[in-house]
Amino acid sequence: MKRIEKICIVLFILMLPTTAMASSNSLLELWKKSEFLYGSCGHCADLISIKNNKDWANFLPYDLTTRDGYFTANLKGPAGTSVTLYGQEGYREDRGYLIIIKKDDSRIEIEDLEAFAPGKWTEVDKEEGGYSVFYQPYQNFKTFVSSVKWGKWWDGTAPVSNN
């Protein structure tokens, strides 16, 4: 009987890390598309995949920010997942940023990172994949995305622009 109890305790302990990892199962996919390199193909583009809420201060080692093209984004994760895309490395706000907050557990896809009203929250309601965005514009922002930060970093209900 004691042996069964020990096995149950060991199994319980082994399951804890799996449960914790499943709850932070977020994924941001940034696709760098270029009509000159890939034509009108859907997702045949360069990919940066950022998993489990890992902040990334600089994409330059991947040389995608200096190439032709623009970024699109796919975001997976539970409702409430939030991520900010910055148009400058080091999470700097001076070349614009886009905050995305998921409303449900469905995957979202954003084809045009500049398609939102500047300086205010925009609600995007779809049958699946609803989200809120706050867009601080910069010329050609979608071509310059260079860093990503997960979670809420601003005070209050909306960020205050430093521009």
Side-chain angles (χ1 to χ4, degrees), residues 29-43:
E29 297 173 325
L30 293 174
W31 298 89
K32 183 88 182 234
K33 296 183 176 185
S34 172
E35 62 184 277
F36 301 112
L37 298 176
Y38 302 108
S40 59
C41 176
H43 278 321

Side-chain angles (χ1 to χ4, degrees), residues 13-70:
I13 291 171
L14 290 174
M15 287 174 49
L16 284 177
T18 306
T19 305
M21 287 191 315
S23 67
S24 65
N25 195 14
S26 300
L27 173 66
L28 174 67
E29 297 173 325
L30 293 174
W31 298 89
K32 183 88 182 234
K33 296 183 176 185
S34 172
E35 62 184 277
F36 301 112
L37 298 176
Y38 302 108
S40 59
C41 176
H43 278 321
C44 52
D46 292 321
L47 170 68
I48 297 175
S49 183
I50 304 169
K51 297 179 182 177
N52 296 328
N53 303 326
K54 181 182 179 211
D55 293 341
W56 204 339
N58 190 352
F59 298 162
L60 290 178
Y62 290 87
D63 194 31
L64 298 178
T65 56
T66 57
R67 288 192 212 157
D68 235 3
Y70 60 95

Side-chain angles (χ1 to χ4, degrees), residues 134-150:
F134 186 94
Y135 177 50
Q136 182 61 46
Y138 185 79
Q139 184 177 1
N140 296 320
F141 167 78
K142 64 185 176 182
T143 64
F144 292 119
V145 174
S146 300
S147 56
V148 170
K149 182 176 272 232
W150 294 86

Side-chain angles (χ1 to χ4, degrees), residues 80-137:
T81 298
S82 72
V83 66
T84 303
L85 312 177
Y86 295 89
Q88 181 79 323
E89 66 274 354
Y91 321 116
R92 292 181 21 214
E93 302 168 29
D94 56 339
R95 287 203 180 162
Y97 56 88
L98 179 70
I99 302 168
I100 308 165
I101 302 176
K102 293 176 81 304
K103 290 183 178 180
D104 57 37
D105 295 342
S106 299
R107 174 184 169 167
I108 63 171
E109 185 172 335
I110 303 174
E111 287 292 320
D112 186 354
L113 301 179
E114 298 175 337
F116 307 102
K120 68 178 191 174
W121 286 103
T122 302
E123 302 295 320
V124 178
D125 291 312
K126 296 183 176 183
E127 192 171 313
E128 288 187 21
Y131 56 96
S132 301
V133 295
F134 186 94
Y135 177 50
Q136 182 61 46

